[in-house]
Amino acid sequence: MVDLGSQYLRIKDEIDKAVQDTLSSTQYIQGPQVKTFQAALETYLGVRHVIPCANGTDALQIAFMALGLQPGDEVIVPSFTYVATAEVIALLHLKPVMVDVDPDTFNITADIIEKAITPRTKAIVPVHLYGQSADMEDIMALAEQHNLFVVEDNAQAIGADYTFKNGVVKKTGTIGHIGCTSFFPSKNLGCMGDGGAMMTNDDALAAKLRMIANHGQQKKYYHDVTGVNSRLDSLQAAILNIKLRHLDEYSAARQSAAAFYDEAFQNIQELQTPARQHNSTHVFHQYTLRVKNSRRDDLQAYLSEKGIPSMIYYPVPLYKQKAFEKYVPAGFTLPVTEQLCREVISLPIHTEMDGELLGFISESVCSFFE
Ligand SMILES: *Cc1c(COP(=O)(O)O)cnc(C)c1O
């Protein structure tokens, strides 16, 4: 699905030197690499504050800890997403309220969210699934109207641009009150271990996030709130400092692979290629097709026989997961999520694909439908 080996080889000299320098420095925790990366990412994203942490799940958890919500407060989340989004909400004794998604963009919309708002709703988590922004302008307007926090799960869309109606362009993850991202190796900006970060333009929230991520202390050994220990280590920061410089070129490589696939599949009636939203760029964390006529699993088996990997993100709606049983009434169902779980398939997409590889994969997909 990804080719991290070839990607590493292309920047091996730079990475090896950064790692070696960090090893020699012995500042493995909170070394200068972390501050350098923080500043570079703030500049890249055009956001006042980046707060690095240990992984994307922690970023979401710390974000929710900082909002000062009460047990039982409701948080609206898409049911078609990675588990982490809802997991941290449950962990903090908040109530995940799962909603359906748009069948074309796979993201939640203001219309869908509005129907789920109750007097207990306190926050919304738009997930920019597969690399394309949810419709943030409408979501922010709705949130303001109902006095709700917006926490963006930007783990799959770092680098994507969202354009407002007045022409202003912002990076995903910098539009809501807090944005969260992951530097898991296979993410669009991946390190070589675990890593994550929170983003915000709010100075007070930034101070709170930083404090919670650091044992609830602002001054060493003086703990104002119950926090956690969540740090991006210096080695990962050193690696990310290099990879961030390549992020736009990585996004462009993913976009051209996606364009290749789109063209190859345009005449296959049984496939729906990924929709592009007019106000967001798509950085293609995943290239995800919908397969009609219940043929998805057969296509996956066919590709597998040819040695082509594919993945189902995600096979089970969150509300059908045992872990979330208690948050949904018996028989609860969301039709689009159900259908997507049956129809989606993600093809290999990464920064190292050449015409030969793309040709082989797309010809194989096409031959299944002949
Ligand atoms: C990867 C991912 C996360 C979690 O990130 P980790 O660094 O693995 O903890 C959260 N949300 C979404 C949508 C993701 O894809």
Side-chain angles (χ1 to χ4, degrees), residues 270-271 289-293 295-296 299 343 345 369:
E270 286 174 281
L271 287 182
L289 295 161
R290 286 180 61 180
V291 187
K292 316 254 169 76
N293 304 329
R295 297 189 74 193
R296 193 265 316 268
L299 170 63
E343 292 187 355
I345 186 167
F369 292 100

Side-chain angles (χ1 to χ4, degrees), residues 349-370:
I349 192 160
H350 52 80
T351 59
E352 313 302 313
M353 302 187 89
D354 56 19
E356 196 183 336
L357 182 60
L358 283 162
F360 173 63
I361 297 170
S362 43
E363 277 159 31
S364 302
V365 171
C366 292
S367 68
F368 173 78
F369 292 100
E370 270 158 17

